[in-house]
Amino acid sequence: MTDSEHVPESNVDVLIIGAGPAGLMAACWMAHCGVTTRIVDKRGTKIFCGQADGLQCRSLEIFDSLGFADRAWKEANHMIEICMWNPGTDGIIRRSDRIPDTIVGICRFQQITLHQGRIERFFLDNIKKYSKDTIKVERGVLPEFLEIDESKVKDQSSYPVTVKLRHLTDEEATPQQQINGSKISDGLFRSNLMHADDEDDLIQKSKSRAGTGEIVHAKYVIGCDGARSWTRRTLGFELQGEATDFIWGVLDIIPITDFPDIRMRCAIHSAENGSLMVIPRENKLVRLYIQLTEVTPDASGRADRSKITPDIILNAAKKILSPYKIDYEYCDWWTAYQIGQRVGTQFDAHERVFLAGDAVHTHSPKAGQGMNVSMHDTYNLGWKVALVAKGIAKPSILSTYQSERRRIAQDLIDFDHRFSRLFSGRPAKDVMDAAGVSMEEFKKAFVKGNLFASGLIVNYGPSSLVSQAVDESKGVMSDTTPTIGSTNAFAKQSLAKGLPIGMRFNSFKVVNQSDARPWHFQEKLKSTGQFRIVVFAGNILNPSQKKRVEDFCEALGAPNSFYRTSATSSPPLDNPIEVLTIHSAKRVETNLMDFPEILHPYNSHTGWDYDKVFVDDVSYHEDTGKAYEGYGVDKERGCIVVARPDQYVGWVGDLEDFNDLQKYFEGCLMLSPRA
Amino acid sequence: MTDSEHVPESNVDVLIIGAGPAGLMAACWMAHCGVTTRIVDKRGTKIFCGQADGLQCRSLEIFDSLGFADRAWKEANHMIEICMWNPGTDGIIRRSDRIPDTIVGICRFQQITLHQGRIERFFLDNIKKYSKDTIKVERGVLPEFLEIDESKVKDQSSYPVTVKLRHLTDEEATPQQQINGSKISDGLFRSNLMHADDEDDLIQKSKSRAGTGEIVHAKYVIGCDGARSWTRRTLGFELQGEATDFIWGVLDIIPITDFPDIRMRCAIHSAENGSLMVIPRENKLVRLYIQLTEVTPDASGRADRSKITPDIILNAAKKILSPYKIDYEYCDWWTAYQIGQRVGTQFDAHERVFLAGDAVHTHSPKAGQGMNVSMHDTYNLGWKVALVAKGIAKPSILSTYQSERRRIAQDLIDFDHRFSRLFSGRPAKDVMDAAGVSMEEFKKAFVKGNLFASGLIVNYGPSSLVSQAVDESKGVMSDTTPTIGSTNAFAKQSLAKGLPIGMRFNSFKVVNQSDARPWHFQEKLKSTGQFRIVVFAGNILNPSQKKRVEDFCEALGAPNSFYRTSATSSPPLDNPIEVLTIHSAKRVETNLMDFPEILHPYNSHTGWDYDKVFVDDVSYHEDTGKAYEGYGVDKERGCIVVARPDQYVGWVGDLEDFNDLQKYFEGCLMLSPRA
């Protein structure tokens, strides 16, 4: 490109830089919500092996909400048990403990492993389907310039971010295979285990624009361009934290071994030769994280990774695993890393350019958190940007991205720091060995870490999207007192003790009133961009309770209710609020037609909606009827709960607390009273 | 084509005529087993709406064994409850009963509904994947001539069946949309609800051969070309049975109705206006089967279906459903039919040309059996043809196709005859009303029919593939007596009471010894073409039991064992017999390496096999540990069970009954003692 040539210019609502899991998650939201979006990546193809591989429970819940958890679940290795191996007094490693990999009862999914390339495949297929092929990753495209026009950032109709993009030539877009920035080639750019449905991506896309440049004006830019993020550096933001002394090697191999727990997740501390983690994978693969005690950093604190080879890593593994033998014929991928724990100082610029994923937090990969937390960043951000871009939500909600996610990043860094130290340390010989790591302490950290690593204990604090729970010990409100006239929406946690405000909407099984089919209720909280009002209608057969439900529905359906005055938009997000009902009467004693119409809306083309009213009752083939108990809701009186588009609980109140519910939505949605 | 032109000739192992569900199932087996195959269909495209829609439990088990039950399960409507509606003494219909649609506990799947076009899509994708794109449906190809050279039928290396095919032109291959043979157009050739992944099939395939002919020499031909099968007529075989007086209309609509059970399967008998069946479907669709009492057959017994319109059918439905209202804006498909129950006299010619599906049994569609039984025909036939074609199995097993499937077809016809009469009859006004149908009798037939309709009670009698169970009441054999020197392999049903010989291998959950993951055991009986020896190893921690297992494994591994002398073949079917183990000791007290090598074979490239040994023990997240109880096997002493490639139980014996096991395989496989 020469600057004298004509450079094409265009507008787009959202520009995503980087098509790894974080960028693809952002694009996925835009596809589901119907937002005009481009996503660019400087690499010439998607990746096909190696990289991240662990998927938390919460990631699977999110994938399910997007529509592809089943594909991951089917292809992945399921992680069931963790075995801990420690040296005995004779220095020989032995299994000392077994614990479940996923805490029992915490989620309907368990942690799984599957390489990042497959996850990206599922995202790409999902984006194609929901965007009707309008959002495609543009590969071999490099951002070169970014500028925010601060005079326009408060104008919702403007495109204040200008980005210059360059379409790379083939040679530019096909990088020498780099591993964590070193120049080591792993010689395995294309995995032998590649799936047939990935093959199309080997064919390079149209080259017609190769070597040319263009100017894009965007309402929002999301930088998901990795640990050395161009976007972050261009904004002048930094990562803060510390480096590490520990150097680790990674091998993805089909192991030939007599080690009995090779298909379990194992944490192995040897007496003198460092530690090793076993992560069983799909397709007979096993990933080994191996501490390289014989590779030492130089004076600058960095090791010369060009000297590290698969043989060096394998030999380190052999010493740690001795007296068991390990070898391989097939290696799918390998790398070595030395990573500190660092977190970004700022997650956005003017709430117009956002950073996510490795661009704002780096840490060791061993806990299998990186890809998950990165995807969760943009799962948190994407719907907010989409709803603001569509004029449905207030721009002020965008500040909750940093307030909600930066703390999570900090928690992750702290966790990784602690965990890495314990894992990399030499096992204590006895209680007096202060320089060694106590294996009991390690196990405790592991168990606690498992809870953290599930991704399910994330709790977003109060904001415009999460109501402040009232202090019920002070008795400000009883269940029957009308709500006070505060300008903020207060929430009554006691009405749904199993649905902590600020945490993800837990899942219990319910039964469809109309066709008796059991569902995990979370399956009904799809990522459509909609807020949900969940009406726990209680015992609808009790006339006084039925009256309460009818009164709530009348308020909800009144002309000036937020439900009627929220901004409508075009499909697929034609209604920003969906109402779902779970009642607790007997299914066979009730009838969909007995419920107020607003709970199962009538459409003149397709009749009544049969997919909105559910019951907490027994069913024929599955264990149902425990939802009210699990959610901690009174089976007679019920309550009302708001789930955000990302399934987090935003508000809990009584059927009489309509004013507070109205305030909640006044706080986050654009409402316009109807004429 | 003119006969004077050169007509190309070629050989193929298997030629399948007709690419409906029966033909695709046959092609699927050939793809999984790696058999050279062509499949032709005279239609120009696949179908996109309408046709069959009910899938039995057994069909889902089969789909799972092929690898796509999950796709059907996800897209389909799940059938949970049947509601029966009958007129009261006032003549007004009321719900009289509810019963589960699928008998509780009978299967891990429940009956679902999804239209035939989607099922065909799953087959096509699966065939493409497993055949590596070598087996493709050739559409617009018509068979014109078929001849069997009887002098060659006993020669396994020969191609005794000659078929002349004609590649149709566009006009010939795009039929006027026909419904059950009438000339009524439904005006909805392409459904509005078509899936994106079907769109490629709208593009006509290469026309280079249009209008030309060719000669194919085949080892085997499978005719799956429907009720008016060209293959059957060419062979001169007939369907025997009777016609029916009853005329039914079918509407696939999105209903607009206040009938409360519209999302349930309903059997509705009106007092005077005939009967109606409601079949809820995917995508808000509902199928209505509506008795057309006002359309009467002429003197020949046939109704003039050209006079039947959707309005006529809808009006009949309105009368039956009154006082409830029903209407629609969207109709996906409709038809009308008048079908008797008929079954083919012969299912094969010289065990070289086989007939399957509607070509050998026709009946009414209301019980949702047609597509299922048709697919089960070729699920029974396909692996037999594949294994004989590959030289693995003896040609004599091919006679079991007719002996096993013709009785099933007859059962189906009898069931449909009984069921249709009860369903089409006027409800009895009281016990004295002999001309009417007793609603109590109808319910009993329905419940009994449900068991039949599950597809799970199929029991194939003794043959070269199903051993004769010994009469244990006569005490011929006790569990410890050596087996008698019969030339036939006798089986001991008492050792595995939950695995009836001749019936499908029921599924209970087991746990993988190596990685602690729970599996439904049936998930490990994939349709690879392999027979399985399931070693119920019992309490392997008991030294005397361990010795029994080791002795069995030694016999199995001996040079002249069937396991060593069975014909090897090329991948994917490189080993015709797989050994799977389920033991009953505690998982954490046992170790894969303690089991004889033959139970978890070592491969010099990929190490030990971690997917062969399972345990009947508890697990963290699922309800396991009940497999021995479910299978009726002694937890201490275990037993040996043979599962055929189609999951049917072929033999049951003690660990000492190796001679009988050897005889079983001598009866069906080609064995050649090693040098």
Side-chain angles (χ1 to χ4, degrees):
Chain A
M1 181 178 85
T2 60
D3 288 340
S4 60
E5 287 174 27
H6 172 71
V7 178
E9 298 196 25
S10 59
N11 290 346
V12 70
D13 285 353
V14 177
L15 172 67
I16 300 165
I17 299 173
L24 292 170
M25 177 68 85
C28 212
W29 264 127
M30 303 310 151
H32 283 248
C33 295
V35 176
T36 317
T37 297
R38 289 178 63 181
I39 173 169
V40 299
D41 196 292
K42 65 181 177 185
R43 293 172 299 179
T45 66
K46 73 186 279 294
I47 64 162
F48 299 103
C49 62
Q51 310 291 350
D53 61 0
L55 287 170
Q56 296 177 348
C57 299
R58 179 60 189 152
S59 295
L60 285 161
E61 291 185 352
I62 292 170
F63 288 179
D64 180 65
S65 80
L66 294 167
F68 58 81
D70 54 329
R71 292 185 71 184
W73 191 249
K74 184 178 184 179
E75 287 190 20
N77 181 68
H78 292 216
M79 304 282 275
I80 306 296
E81 193 170 74
I82 301 175
C83 296
M84 303 201 183
W85 287 70
N86 297 315
T89 49
D90 55 2
I92 294 174
I93 57 168
R94 289 186 184 79
R95 187 195 300 115
S96 60
D97 265 305
R98 298 177 191 260
I99 59 172
D101 189 277
T102 302
I103 294 163
V104 173
I106 203 172
C107 180
R108 69 192 198 275
F109 297 104
Q110 287 95 50
Q111 184 164 304
I112 60 176
T113 48
L114 185 64
H115 86 80
Q116 182 177 331
R118 291 306 294 164
I119 310 301
E120 293 183 11
R121 163 55 44 214
F122 306 151
F123 271 116
L124 291 169
D125 291 349
N126 193 265
I127 291 166
K128 179 184 166 88
K129 176 179 172 185
Y130 280 90
S131 75
K132 297 184 170 43
D133 226 3
T134 62
I135 303 179
K136 294 177 189 178
V137 177
E138 301 169 50
R139 300 195 189 275
V141 177
L142 191 74
E144 294 190 315
F145 172 86
L146 183 150
E147 189 177 60
I148 306 172
D149 184 342
E150 292 186 28
S151 70
K152 293 182 180 168
V153 295
K154 297 293 175 199
D155 175 4
Q156 291 311 308
S157 65
S158 74
Y159 295 80
V161 193
T162 298
V163 179
K164 197 192 259 180
L165 298 176
R166 188 156 65 87
H167 295 256
L168 301 178
T169 62
D170 270 5
E171 301 81 64
E172 293 170 315
T174 308
Q176 188 179 355
Q177 178 74 352
Q178 293 186 341
I179 299 168
N180 291 326
S182 82
K183 295 286 180 193
I184 308 163
S185 164
D186 65 8
L188 280 160
F189 180 56
R190 182 180 164 185
S191 168
N192 285 343
L193 301 177
M194 200 173 81
H195 285 247
D197 60 1
D198 264 358
E199 279 173 10
D200 286 348
D201 287 279
L202 284 179
I203 302 156
Q204 291 280 339
K205 305 301 177 193
S206 162
K207 303 301 181 311
S208 59
R209 301 176 79 174
T212 69
E214 65 166 318
I215 303 284
V216 176
H217 303 284
K219 287 185 172 173
Y220 299 95
V221 169
I222 304 178
C224 307
D225 43 354
R228 282 164 302 133
S229 167
W230 173 88
T231 315
R232 186 190 69 229
R233 286 180 285 124
T234 302
L235 294 172
F237 297 168
E238 291 188 347
L239 294 180
Q240 290 183 334
E242 55 188 77
T244 173
D245 287 340
F246 305 116
I247 300 162
W248 289 74
V250 185
L251 289 178
D252 279 355
I253 58 173
I254 297 180
I256 303 175
T257 183
D258 58 355
F259 180 69
D261 287 350
I262 196 70
R263 296 300 310 172
M264 301 291 190
R265 183 169 158 204
C266 293
I268 304 167
H269 279 88
S270 72
E272 300 291 346
N273 294 304
S275 299
L276 185 153
M277 181 171 279
V278 179
I279 307 284
R281 294 260 312 266
E282 72 280 10
N283 292 330
K284 297 180 190 289
L285 286 173
V286 172
R287 171 167 291 189
L288 303 177
Y289 287 103
I290 304 148
Q291 193 175 7
L292 302 179
T293 53
E294 294 180 7
V295 181
T296 46
D298 61 18
S300 76
R302 306 295 297 173
D304 181 357
R305 278 181 288 160
S306 71
K307 297 222 167 62
I308 301 175
T309 66
D311 272 351
I312 287 176
I313 303 173
L314 179 66
N315 283 330
K318 285 182 174 178
K319 285 186 185 171
I320 297 167
L321 273 179
S322 173
Y324 298 100
K325 310 288 183 202
I326 186 156
D327 215 326
Y328 66 82
E329 279 199 6
Y330 179 78
C331 176
D332 199 50
W333 185 77
W334 66 273
T335 191
Y337 67 87
Q338 177 188 20
I339 295 178
Q341 291 88 22
R342 302 195 299 162
V343 62
T345 48
Q346 274 177 275
F347 277 41
D348 74 80
H350 303 287
E351 293 163 15
R352 288 292 190 169
V353 181
F354 300 88
L355 298 172
D358 290 354
V360 277
H361 40 74
T362 68
H363 50 88
S364 85
K366 282 187 301 296
Q369 292 298 297
M371 176 165 64
N372 294 280
V373 176
S374 295
M375 292 190 298
H376 301 182
D377 283 347
T378 43
Y379 188 67
N380 178 289
L381 173 65
W383 63 273
K384 296 172 185 174
V385 169
L387 264 57
V388 173
K390 288 176 87 83
I392 291 169
K394 291 184 174 175
S396 57
I397 70 167
L398 294 174
S399 69
T400 63
Y401 172 60
Q402 169 154 330
S403 67
E404 293 184 339
R405 294 306 299 177
R406 191 168 186 281
R407 191 167 56 77
I408 304 301
Q410 192 61 54
D411 289 348
L412 169 64
I413 266 53
D414 295 345
F415 165 72
D416 186 54
H417 183 75
R418 225 169 28 244
F419 183 73
S420 288
R421 190 185 58 81
L422 288 170
F423 196 56
S424 301
R426 175 181 58 77
K429 294 193 172 70
D430 52 46
V431 289
M432 300 302 292
D433 180 6
V437 172
S438 149
M439 290 298 98
E440 197 51 39
E441 187 191 349
F442 179 72
K443 184 190 170 188
K444 277 185 198 155
F446 219 108
V447 171
K448 194 175 166 192
N450 250 8
L451 186 60
F452 179 83
S454 71
L456 298 174
I457 58 165
V458 164
N459 190 335
Y460 297 142
S463 71
S464 58
L465 292 166
V466 176
S467 293
Q468 176 85 51
V470 293
D471 184 346
E472 292 154 296
S473 67
K474 293 187 183 166
V476 172
M477 296 181 209
S478 75
D479 283 3
T480 50
T481 310
T483 55
I484 55 175
S486 159
T487 52
N488 299 310
F490 288 105
K492 295 177 178 174
Q493 184 64 73
S494 65
L495 296 178
K497 297 184 191 70
L499 287 167
I501 296 160
M503 294 181 76
R504 76 92 164 77
F505 205 111
N506 197 2
S507 196
F508 295 95
K509 284 188 180 177
V510 296
V511 177
N512 185 304
Q513 172 67 38
S514 304
D515 64 13
R517 177 171 175 185
W519 292 91
H520 254 290
F521 188 64
Q522 212 184 46
E523 293 181 85
K524 295 296 165 185
L525 306 178
K526 289 279 182 257
S527 291
T528 59
Q530 291 172 301
F531 284 78
R532 266 107 186 174
I533 296 172
V534 182
V535 178
F536 285 90
N539 178 12
I540 199 80
L541 288 175
N542 178 328
S544 68
Q545 178 65 11
K546 190 173 184 190
K547 178 71 165 56
R548 293 181 73 216
V549 172
E550 286 168 348
D551 288 350
F552 173 81
C553 290
E554 195 180 325
L556 188 67
N560 280 315
S561 141
F562 64 91
Y563 186 67
R564 298 293 185 203
T565 61
S566 57
T568 54
S569 180
S570 51
L573 189 50
D574 40 3
N575 192 337
I577 299 166
E578 182 183 37
V579 182
L580 297 174
T581 301
I582 308 173
H583 74 86
S584 66
K586 286 274 158 215
R587 176 177 65 83
V588 300
E589 294 172 11
T590 47
N591 185 330
L592 184 69
M593 297 297 160
D594 298 337
F595 286 80
E597 172 171 350
I598 204 167
L599 302 182
H600 58 115
Y602 182 81
N603 176 303
S604 62
H605 306 293
T606 59
W608 297 97
D609 194 324
Y610 298 101
D611 202 32
K612 299 282 193 256
V613 177
F614 301 86
V615 54
D616 183 26
D617 197 2
V618 294
S619 62
Y620 295 114
H621 308 286
E622 298 183 35
D623 187 22
T624 57
K626 298 171 182 169
Y628 269 68
E629 184 187 340
Y631 288 128
V633 175
D634 186 282
K635 286 194 95 161
E636 281 298 314
R637 296 182 52 82
C639 69
I640 308 291
V641 179
V642 172
R644 313 191 321 185
D646 57 0
Q647 303 183 329
Y648 284 78
V649 176
W651 182 84
V652 176
D654 234 327
L655 274 67
E656 287 73 20
D657 294 335
F658 187 83
N659 287 344
D660 266 306
L661 184 62
Q662 175 83 21
K663 278 177 211 147
Y664 174 86
F665 283 105
E666 285 171 355
C668 57
L669 293 191
M670 306 288 279
L671 303 180
S672 52
R674 299 288 153 81
Chain B
M1 182 178 87
T2 60
D3 287 339
S4 62
E5 285 174 29
H6 171 73
V7 178
E9 298 196 27
S10 59
N11 290 346
V12 71
D13 284 353
V14 177
L15 173 67
I16 301 165
I17 298 172
L24 292 171
M25 177 69 85
C28 212
W29 263 126
M30 303 310 153
H32 283 247
C33 295
V35 176
T36 317
T37 298
R38 289 179 64 180
I39 174 169
V40 301
D41 197 292
K42 65 182 178 186
R43 293 172 299 180
T45 66
K46 73 187 280 292
I47 65 163
F48 299 103
C49 61
Q51 311 291 351
D53 62 0
L55 286 171
Q56 296 178 349
C57 300
R58 180 60 191 152
S59 295
L60 285 161
E61 292 185 349
I62 292 170
F63 289 179
D64 180 64
S65 80
L66 295 167
F68 58 81
D70 53 329
R71 292 185 71 184
W73 192 249
K74 184 177 182 178
E75 287 190 20
N77 181 67
H78 292 216
M79 304 283 274
I80 306 295
E81 193 170 74
I82 301 175
C83 296
M84 303 200 183
W85 287 70
N86 297 314
T89 50
D90 54 3
I92 294 175
I93 58 168
R94 288 186 185 80
R95 187 194 301 115
S96 61
D97 264 306
R98 298 179 192 259
I99 58 171
D101 188 277
T102 302
I103 293 163
V104 174
I106 202 173
C107 180
R108 67 192 199 275
F109 297 104
Q110 287 94 51
Q111 185 163 304
I112 60 176
T113 48
L114 183 65
H115 85 80
Q116 182 177 331
R118 291 305 293 164
I119 310 301
E120 294 184 10
R121 162 56 44 212
F122 306 151
F123 272 115
L124 292 169
D125 290 349
N126 194 265
I127 291 166
K128 178 185 168 88
K129 175 180 173 184
Y130 280 90
S131 76
K132 297 185 171 41
D133 225 4
T134 61
I135 304 178
K136 295 177 189 177
V137 176
E138 300 169 52
R139 301 193 188 276
V141 176
L142 191 74
E144 294 190 315
F145 172 84
L146 184 150
E147 189 176 60
I148 305 172
D149 183 341
E150 294 186 28
S151 70
K152 293 183 181 168
V153 296
K154 296 294 178 200
D155 173 4
Q156 291 310 308
S157 65
S158 73
Y159 295 81
V161 192
T162 297
V163 179
K164 196 192 260 181
L165 298 175
R166 189 156 64 87
H167 295 257
L168 301 176
T169 62
D170 271 5
E171 300 81 64
E172 292 170 316
T174 308
Q176 187 179 357
Q177 178 75 350
Q178 292 187 342
I179 299 168
N180 290 329
S182 81
K183 295 286 181 191
I184 306 163
S185 165
D186 65 7
L188 280 160
F189 180 55
R190 181 181 164 182
S191 167
N192 286 342
L193 300 178
M194 198 173 82
H195 285 248
D197 61 0
D198 263 357
E199 279 174 10
D200 286 347
D201 287 279
L202 284 178
I203 303 157
Q204 292 279 337
K205 305 300 175 193
S206 162
K207 302 300 182 311
S208 59
R209 302 177 78 175
T212 69
E214 64 167 319
I215 303 283
V216 177
H217 302 285
K219 287 185 171 173
Y220 300 95
V221 169
I222 305 178
C224 307
D225 44 352
R228 282 164 302 133
S229 167
W230 173 88
T231 314
R232 186 190 68 230
R233 286 181 284 125
T234 302
L235 294 172
F237 297 167
E238 291 189 347
L239 293 180
Q240 290 183 334
E242 56 187 74
T244 174
D245 288 342
F246 305 116
I247 298 162
W248 289 74
V250 185
L251 289 179
D252 280 353
I253 57 172
I254 297 180
I256 302 174
T257 181
D258 57 356
F259 180 68
D261 287 349
I262 195 70
R263 296 299 310 172
M264 302 290 190
R265 184 169 158 202
C266 293
I268 304 167
H269 279 88
S270 72
E272 301 291 345
N273 294 303
S275 299
L276 184 153
M277 181 171 282
V278 179
I279 307 283
R281 294 262 311 267
E282 72 281 9
N283 291 330
K284 296 180 190 288
L285 287 172
V286 172
R287 171 167 291 188
L288 302 177
Y289 287 103
I290 304 147
Q291 193 175 8
L292 302 178
T293 53
E294 293 180 5
V295 182
T296 47
D298 61 18
S300 76
R302 306 296 298 174
D304 181 357
R305 277 181 288 159
S306 70
K307 295 221 168 63
I308 300 176
T309 66
D311 272 352
I312 287 175
I313 303 174
L314 179 67
N315 283 330
K318 285 180 173 179
K319 284 186 184 170
I320 297 166
L321 272 179
S322 172
Y324 299 99
K325 311 287 183 203
I326 187 157
D327 214 326
Y328 66 82
E329 279 201 2
Y330 179 79
C331 176
D332 199 50
W333 185 77
W334 66 273
T335 191
Y337 66 87
Q338 177 187 22
I339 295 178
Q341 290 89 22
R342 302 196 297 163
V343 63
T345 49
Q346 274 178 272
F347 277 39
D348 72 81
H350 303 288
E351 291 164 16
R352 288 293 190 167
V353 180
F354 299 89
L355 298 171
D358 289 354
V360 275
H361 40 76
T362 67
H363 49 88
S364 84
K366 282 189 301 295
Q369 291 299 296
M371 176 166 64
N372 294 281
V373 176
S374 295
M375 291 189 297
H376 300 182
D377 283 347
T378 43
Y379 188 68
N380 178 288
L381 173 65
W383 64 272
K384 297 173 184 173
V385 169
L387 263 55
V388 173
K390 288 176 87 80
I392 291 170
K394 292 185 173 175
S396 57
I397 70 168
L398 294 174
S399 69
T400 63
Y401 172 61
Q402 168 153 333
S403 67
E404 293 185 338
R405 295 305 301 176
R406 191 169 187 281
R407 190 166 57 77
I408 304 300
Q410 192 61 54
D411 288 349
L412 169 65
I413 265 54
D414 294 345
F415 165 74
D416 186 56
H417 182 77
R418 225 167 31 243
F419 184 74
S420 289
R421 189 187 57 80
L422 288 170
F423 196 58
S424 302
R426 175 181 58 74
K429 293 194 172 69
D430 52 46
V431 289
M432 300 303 292
D433 180 5
V437 172
S438 150
M439 288 298 100
E440 197 52 38
E441 186 190 351
F442 178 71
K443 184 190 169 187
K444 276 184 199 157
F446 219 107
V447 170
K448 194 174 164 192
N450 250 8
L451 186 60
F452 179 82
S454 71
L456 298 174
I457 58 165
V458 164
N459 190 337
Y460 297 142
S463 70
S464 57
L465 292 167
V466 176
S467 293
Q468 177 86 50
V470 293
D471 185 346
E472 292 154 295
S473 66
K474 292 187 183 166
V476 173
M477 294 180 209
S478 76
D479 283 2
T480 50
T481 311
T483 55
I484 55 176
S486 160
T487 51
N488 299 310
F490 288 106
K492 295 177 177 172
Q493 185 65 73
S494 65
L495 297 178
K497 298 184 190 71
L499 287 167
I501 297 160
M503 294 181 75
R504 76 90 162 82
F505 206 111
N506 197 2
S507 196
F508 295 95
K509 284 189 182 176
V510 295
V511 177
N512 185 304
Q513 172 67 37
S514 305
D515 65 11
R517 178 173 175 183
W519 291 91
H520 254 291
F521 188 65
Q522 213 184 46
E523 293 181 85
K524 296 295 163 183
L525 306 178
K526 290 279 182 257
S527 291
T528 59
Q530 292 171 299
F531 284 79
R532 265 105 187 177
I533 297 172
V534 182
V535 178
F536 285 89
N539 178 13
I540 198 80
L541 289 175
N542 178 329
S544 67
Q545 177 65 13
K546 190 174 184 191
K547 177 72 166 53
R548 293 181 73 216
V549 173
E550 286 167 348
D551 289 350
F552 174 80
C553 289
E554 195 181 324
L556 189 66
N560 280 315
S561 141
F562 66 90
Y563 185 66
R564 299 295 185 200
T565 61
S566 58
T568 53
S569 180
S570 51
L573 190 50
D574 38 4
N575 192 338
I577 300 167
E578 182 183 36
V579 182
L580 297 174
T581 301
I582 308 174
H583 74 87
S584 66
K586 286 276 159 212
R587 176 177 64 83
V588 299
E589 294 172 12
T590 48
N591 184 330
L592 183 69
M593 296 298 159
D594 299 337
F595 285 79
E597 172 171 347
I598 205 167
L599 302 182
H600 59 115
Y602 181 82
N603 176 303
S604 62
H605 306 293
T606 59
W608 297 99
D609 194 324
Y610 299 101
D611 202 32
K612 300 283 192 254
V613 177
F614 300 86
V615 53
D616 183 26
D617 197 1
V618 295
S619 61
Y620 295 114
H621 307 288
E622 298 183 34
D623 188 22
T624 56
K626 298 169 182 169
Y628 269 68
E629 184 187 340
Y631 288 128
V633 175
D634 185 281
K635 285 195 97 162
E636 282 297 315
R637 296 183 52 82
C639 69
I640 308 291
V641 179
V642 171
R644 313 191 325 183
D646 57 359
Q647 303 182 331
Y648 284 78
V649 177
W651 183 83
V652 176
D654 234 325
L655 273 67
E656 286 74 19
D657 293 335
F658 186 82
N659 287 344
D660 266 307
L661 184 61
Q662 174 83 22
K663 277 176 211 147
Y664 175 85
F665 283 105
E666 284 172 358
C668 57
L669 293 192
M670 305 289 277
L671 303 180
S672 52
R674 298 288 152 81

